[in-house]
Amino acid sequence: MPSAPARLSQQLGTLQRQVAAAGRRGIAAARRGGLQVCAGVDPRAEKALLGEDFGARDPTAGELGSNFGDKVLGNYNTEHIIKPPEAMGEIVGLKNKKCVPCEGGVQPLDESELNRLQKQCAGWRLVKNAAGHDCIQHEWKVRNFRAGLDLFQRIAVIAEEEGHHPDLHLTGYNTVVAEMTTHAANGLTENDFILAAKINELEISDLLPKRKPKFWA
Ligand SMILES: C[C@H](O)[C@H](O)[C@H]1CNC2=NC(N)=NC(=O)C2=N1
């Protein structure tokens, strides 16, 4: 009769062989089933196959560009702030680019470019200004009048750094609107979307109305 330690080492060996077999089966099953994660896949196999932190993820730029949001179930007016995933953010890059000084003779972006870039600036919409030129515009409801002026100040820091400036409006004591266009192009250029993406990176939760906690009970 093998001693207790010997029995344990036998069981450990059997277990290791089972884990390895499950891992191989798991990878094979996951490959057969595409990227869906199969129940019982050994976590090491999943990491080897799918990388770190597999699970819910933000949409890629391509998915954002495909209007996939129009085809999903859900309330049409639910406010979804969809941001490209961090890694994709490096590729998309708007928030990491710099505005370039715009002199005369700059062409405005065409419709397809406008739509592509707008999808990477959550919350900004394409509008026409009083002169009929393309603009991008964002509206915030802020906590109070002072918060509106604080938001102006935070946007001003970014605008001065970029040498590109939005028109800012504070109306009805708590509604802030920022609107950008490129004067030299009489329309929109990448500068406007770079500034919008950088404004989106501002931490402004302290300026927005406190969310009333929802009790589901
Ligand atoms: C030379 C310099 O790029 C221009 O004067 C900048 C200043 N800030 C600007 N801001 C905005 N929104 N549009 C412009 O065209 C613009 N031009």
Side-chain angles (χ1 to χ4, degrees):
M1 176 69 164
S3 67
R7 275 203 315 278
L8 267 181
S9 129
Q10 255 179 1
Q11 284 169 357
L12 182 60
T14 307
L15 190 59
Q16 280 166 337
R17 280 190 298 280
Q18 283 170 349
V19 165
R24 280 191 298 279
R25 267 201 316 279
I27 288 179
R31 282 214 179 95
R32 269 199 310 280
L35 271 186
Q36 89 196 47
V37 177
C38 303
V41 171
D42 172 297
R44 290 172 308 168
E46 180 179 304
K47 201 178 287 185
L49 179 70
L50 305 170
E52 298 291 339
D53 302 335
F54 182 80
R57 61 172 174 78
D58 291 325
T60 63
E63 286 161 345
L64 285 173
S66 68
N67 293 323
F68 80 112
D70 300 341
K71 303 173 200 114
V72 295
L73 295 177
N75 297 324
Y76 73 92
N77 61 352
T78 304
E79 179 67 20
H80 284 296
I81 299 291
I82 297 174
K83 294 178 64 161
E86 275 319 303
M88 187 54 68
E90 303 319 309
I91 300 169
V92 164
L94 277 181
K95 66 179 179 184
N96 300 322
K97 290 189 171 181
K98 290 294 287 173
C99 292
V100 295
C102 257
E103 308 301 345
V106 177
Q107 287 308 310
L109 295 171
D110 64 28
E111 188 85 18
S112 63
E113 272 298 283
L114 292 185
N115 291 323
R116 185 180 68 81
L117 291 173
Q118 187 220 356
K119 288 192 178 73
Q120 295 159 31
C121 297
W124 291 80
R125 51 176 176 260
L126 295 172
V127 296
K128 298 279 189 190
N129 64 11
H133 299 150
D134 284 326
C135 281
I136 48 173
Q137 185 186 79
H138 193 304
E139 178 179 297
W140 296 268
K141 287 293 182 197
V142 289
R143 187 171 296 186
N144 53 43
F145 192 69
R146 291 286 306 273
L149 292 175
D150 287 348
L151 181 52
F152 275 32
Q153 290 297 337
R154 295 186 196 179
I155 291 174
V157 171
I158 304 280
E160 283 302 283
E161 283 170 0
E162 294 301 316
H164 203 72
H165 312 80
D167 291 348
L168 293 174
H169 309 268
L170 172 50
T171 53
Y173 92 88
N174 72 341
T175 302
V176 171
V177 172
E179 195 172 87
M180 267 99 82
T181 189
T182 299
H183 312 311
N186 288 334
L188 287 166
T189 64
E190 193 181 45
N191 279 350
D192 301 299
F193 292 94
I194 291 169
L195 185 59
K198 289 175 183 269
I199 289 172
N200 275 0
E201 290 297 300
L202 285 173
E203 172 46 56
I204 61 169
S205 56
D206 59 314
L207 304 178
L208 305 178
K210 285 192 172 65
R211 283 183 181 268
K212 296 184 186 57
K214 287 198 178 78
F215 297 103
W216 300 110

